[in-house]
Amino acid sequence: MKQILKSIYSSHKLLLISFIAFSGFLHAQQTVSGIISDENGPLPGVTVIEKGTTNGTVSDFDGNYSISVSNSNAILQFSYLGFLTQEVSASTDPINIFMEIGSDDLEEVVVTGYGSQRKATVTGAIAAVKGESIDKSPAVNLTNSLAGRLPGLIVIQGSGEPGNDNASVRIRGVNTFGNSSALVVIDGIPDRDGGISRLNSQDIESISVLKDASAAIYGARAANGVILITTKGGLIGEPRMVYSFNAGFSTPTFFPDLANSVEYANILNEVPIYNSIPANEWENAWTSIRTSGTYNSPTDGVASINANFSPEDVQGYSTGNDPWKYPNTNWYKETFKNWAPQQRH
């Protein structure tokens, strides 16, 4: 009898402990529900997730949702493609959410020839970049700022000479004979004087690159693709001032190793020998040119040659006693510094 009572007591004790634990679990859990909508009404397919967990659900066709969260301090995240993600505390119930259209890439406007479309509706091969991205590059010439910014765009700078530092801009390589550059259209004007190089990066609103049939509206001129540039316009609202400053250093890639004046004079004196005199006479001809400035070949039919620089001139360049008459100036060294600062305001 005692054994039976002891067994019943143990069973009741275990049931009581289980009930208390289950009651605590029910107390910790909290169900939150509501309706999700946008400006057009209920919004189905919105993802609702308890932040920091894998606990989530999706709104139904009528925008209704219901989710059990761990406690009242949980944060719910509401996200949907093309809308701003919202975070709301789960401290109340119900929680109705109004989704706002965000700055998602799908809402971005892309210029396509003579008009514009939302990026989500564009099916052609069109690449676009905003002016803020271009402005991050410290390059002085805007053509060089396009390098690496757009897929399919090949930018090659062949010279750093001021005023002649334009880069060649091609779309998907060389496609035609002759001029294979892309057609540049700035604010609807094709082939405007100066092209891209005369634009200030801070004046750029957006750049679109048409790479296939989307460029067909420009006809044969668009055989190598089209680069559409839209500059900034006025905005409604209070005046706004923006100031930016960029500082850097510029240095030549290398300095060529030039001949000095004596070497240059001797080179030009050697040229007529190699061009006119038989090879077996070169040594005698060179000795004569250096001493007398002339050489008369004993071979019939070979004309006499005269030095481009007389022995006196070569001696004058060699001594350097009269730098005004016999200068020896390294113009690269005199003109260029090893490095120079540059600023842009």
Side-chain angles (χ1 to χ4, degrees), residues 63 92-93 136 149 216 237 242 258 263 267 299 342:
T92 60
D93 181 54
K136 294 177 182 177
R149 302 284 180 181
V242 178
L258 302 177
E263 294 171 338
I267 290 171
T299 304
Q342 64 181 22

Side-chain angles (χ1 to χ4, degrees), residues 314-326:
V314 177
Q315 182 65 23
Y317 286 121
S318 178
T319 59
N321 294 330
D322 189 357
W324 290 102
K325 186 176 182 181
Y326 303 108

Side-chain angles (χ1 to χ4, degrees), residues 125-319:
I126 299 178
V129 62
K130 293 184 178 180
E132 301 91 76
S133 300
I134 298 296
D135 197 35
K136 294 177 182 177
S137 172
V140 177
N141 194 314
L142 182 60
T143 57
N144 300 318
S145 299
L146 297 178
R149 302 284 180 181
L150 293 161
L153 200 66
I154 302 173
V155 180
I156 301 176
Q157 182 186 11
S159 171
E161 178 184 348
N164 193 31
D165 55 351
N166 289 355
S168 63
V169 182
R170 295 186 174 92
I171 300 174
R172 291 178 175 173
V174 178
N175 303 306
T176 61
F177 295 106
N179 184 4
S180 58
S181 299
L183 174 66
V184 178
V185 180
I186 303 175
D187 290 334
I189 303 175
D191 280 342
R192 201 174 78 174
D193 284 345
I196 304 176
S197 60
R198 288 192 182 182
L199 296 178
N200 185 349
S201 61
Q202 294 189 0
D203 295 336
I204 302 298
E205 179 69 31
S206 65
I207 297 178
S208 299
V209 177
L210 312 184
K211 294 182 282 188
D212 58 5
S214 55
I217 59 174
Y218 292 101
R221 302 177 68 185
N224 295 293
V226 180
I227 299 177
L228 299 174
I229 300 178
T230 304
T231 59
K232 294 180 180 177
L235 299 175
I236 298 176
E238 297 179 354
R240 187 166 60 99
M241 179 177 291
V242 178
Y243 170 76
S244 66
F245 166 70
N246 178 275
F249 299 94
S250 178
T251 180
T253 305
F254 73 98
F255 286 105
D257 188 10
L258 302 177
N260 57 38
S261 57
V262 178
E263 294 171 338
Y264 179 77
N266 286 330
I267 290 171
L268 289 190
N269 283 342
E270 291 176 354
V271 170
I273 296 175
Y274 299 139
N275 289 340
S276 307
I277 304 301
N280 60 343
E281 300 179 27
W282 283 356
E283 184 176 354
N284 294 333
W286 177 236
T287 302
S288 179
I289 289 292
R290 293 177 62 186
T291 55
S292 64
T294 61
Y295 176 70
N296 297 315
S297 175
T299 304
D300 293 339
V302 179
S304 299
I305 60 172
N306 295 316
N308 290 308
F309 290 88
S310 67
E312 293 77 16
D313 291 338
V314 177
Q315 182 65 23
Y317 286 121
S318 178
T319 59

